[in-house]
């Protein structure tokens, strides 16, 4: 089955402006655990409501109940899901990686050269902290550590505000695919290792240095396709 295609951060628009100052981190990234599933479902439900207020039909078919729980648990068990945790140990954001989605990416795209980013969601309470931008930067660094060329996304075709958000962060539109059974298909990519906020890197554990320099050391399976 193809990996989930919707990628969305329900926070206020982030500019990705480069900062000349380091901020003291109050949140950090860690691999998602089974006990995070209720919080992840809450993030998803909140995102669905937020999207409706923005006038987009993205995620208009809510994922609830056992199906949603099973998908989150599979991502967690396979080491593909992460959460951003705040100073009170609350889950503020999530992101996953996954295999290439063959509904969209072709052999001549050289799928093995990219890391595929999915399910980026930021809690409304974390709006304004640039968490979406910082998570994407971490994934970009991970892609570079793996020797990949690109970070790739596919998003809802009709969500032009989301397209503009990613373009502000340096993603370039590759093309739009429109298979009849999918609502996603706006394809974009950004060079691996490219950072929008190099002075505010997201640490991977609360014990890590302020510059997040060891963010790539988290143990996780390398993507093979």
């Amino acid at each position: 089955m193809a990996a989930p295609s919707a990628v969305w951060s329900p926070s206020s628009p982030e500019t990705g402006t480069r900062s000349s100052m380091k901020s003291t981190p109050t949140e950090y990234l860690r691999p998602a655990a089974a006990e995070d599933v209720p919080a992840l479902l809450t993030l998803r439900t909140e995102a669905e409501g937020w999207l409706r207020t923005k006038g987009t039909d993205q995620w208009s078919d809510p994922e609830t109940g056992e199906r949603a729980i099973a998908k989150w648990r599979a991502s967690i068990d396979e080491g593909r899901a992460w959460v951003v945790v705040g100073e009170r140990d609350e889950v503020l954001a999530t992101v996953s990686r996954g295999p290439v989605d063959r509904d969209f990416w072709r052999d001549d795209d050289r799928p093995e050269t990219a890391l595929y980013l999915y399910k980026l969601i930021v809690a409304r309470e974390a709006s304004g902290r640039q968490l979406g931008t910082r998570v994407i930067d971490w994934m970009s660094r991970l892609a570079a550590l793996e020797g990949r060329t690109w970070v790739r996304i596919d998003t809802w075709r009709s969500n032009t505000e989301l397209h503009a958000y990613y373009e502000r962060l340096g993603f370039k539109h590759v093309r739009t695919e429109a298979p009849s059974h999918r609502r996603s298909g706006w394809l974009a990519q950004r060079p691996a290792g490219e950072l929008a906020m190099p002075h505010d890197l997201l640490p991977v554990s609360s014990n890590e240095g302020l510059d997040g320099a060891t963010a790539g050391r988290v143990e996780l399976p390398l993507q093979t396709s």
Side-chain angles (χ1 to χ4, degrees):
M1 179 176 292
S5 59
V7 182
W8 172 246
S9 169
S11 59
S12 300
E14 299 173 335
T15 62
T17 302
R18 293 176 182 267
S19 169
S20 61
M21 301 290 290
K22 289 182 180 178
S23 62
T24 302
T26 58
E27 48 287 306
Y28 64 94
L29 189 77
R30 63 166 172 78
E35 55 267 28
D36 295 318
V37 169
L40 294 175
L41 292 174
T42 297
L43 282 183
R44 170 74 191 221
T45 300
E46 183 184 56
E48 290 164 0
W50 170 257
L51 288 164
R52 286 192 292 270
T53 71
K54 301 295 286 184
T56 174
D57 62 352
Q58 182 171 336
W59 285 359
S60 55
D61 181 17
E63 288 184 353
T64 58
E66 291 302 319
R67 178 171 176 266
I69 292 172
K71 291 177 73 173
W72 281 119
R73 288 192 183 279
S75 294
I76 291 168
D77 290 346
E78 294 166 10
R80 296 189 288 106
W82 292 271
V83 291
V84 177
V85 179
E87 57 189 356
R88 299 185 306 277
D89 205 35
E90 73 278 24
V91 174
L92 299 175
T94 184
V95 70
S96 297
R97 70 183 299 172
V100 58
D101 192 325
R102 286 296 189 168
D103 280 345
F104 303 132
W105 300 99
R106 311 163 182 162
D107 287 343
D108 57 8
D109 293 316
R110 299 186 63 205
E112 72 283 355
T113 65
L115 182 152
Y116 296 88
L117 185 154
Y118 300 100
K119 284 189 178 294
L120 173 60
I121 311 174
V122 178
R124 290 299 300 145
E125 68 173 281
S127 176
R129 301 192 202 180
Q130 308 288 347
L131 285 186
T133 300
R134 295 165 69 199
V135 167
I136 293 168
D137 278 356
W138 183 78
M139 296 292 275
S140 181
R141 296 167 69 208
L142 177 58
L145 284 168
E146 292 184 356
R148 300 187 188 275
T149 305
W150 305 104
V151 175
R152 285 177 175 163
I153 57 172
D154 65 84
T155 73
W156 213 251
R157 295 192 295 270
S158 61
N159 194 338
T160 56
E161 182 178 342
L162 183 56
H163 304 166
Y165 167 78
Y166 279 113
E167 288 176 331
R168 288 195 297 272
L169 296 182
F171 283 83
K172 303 297 184 184
H173 181 221
V174 176
R175 64 180 178 273
T176 299
E177 298 282 356
S180 60
H181 62 294
R182 302 291 295 274
R183 306 285 294 277
S184 189
W186 188 86
L187 309 182
Q189 62 188 17
R190 191 175 87 171
E194 184 174 292
L195 304 177
M197 299 183 67
H199 302 291
D200 199 4
L201 301 178
L202 190 65
V204 172
S205 76
S206 57
N207 296 322
E208 194 175 293
L210 296 186
D211 63 355
T214 59
R217 292 202 319 220
V218 162
E219 283 203 28
L220 47 100
L222 298 185
Q223 183 173 299
T224 58
S225 61

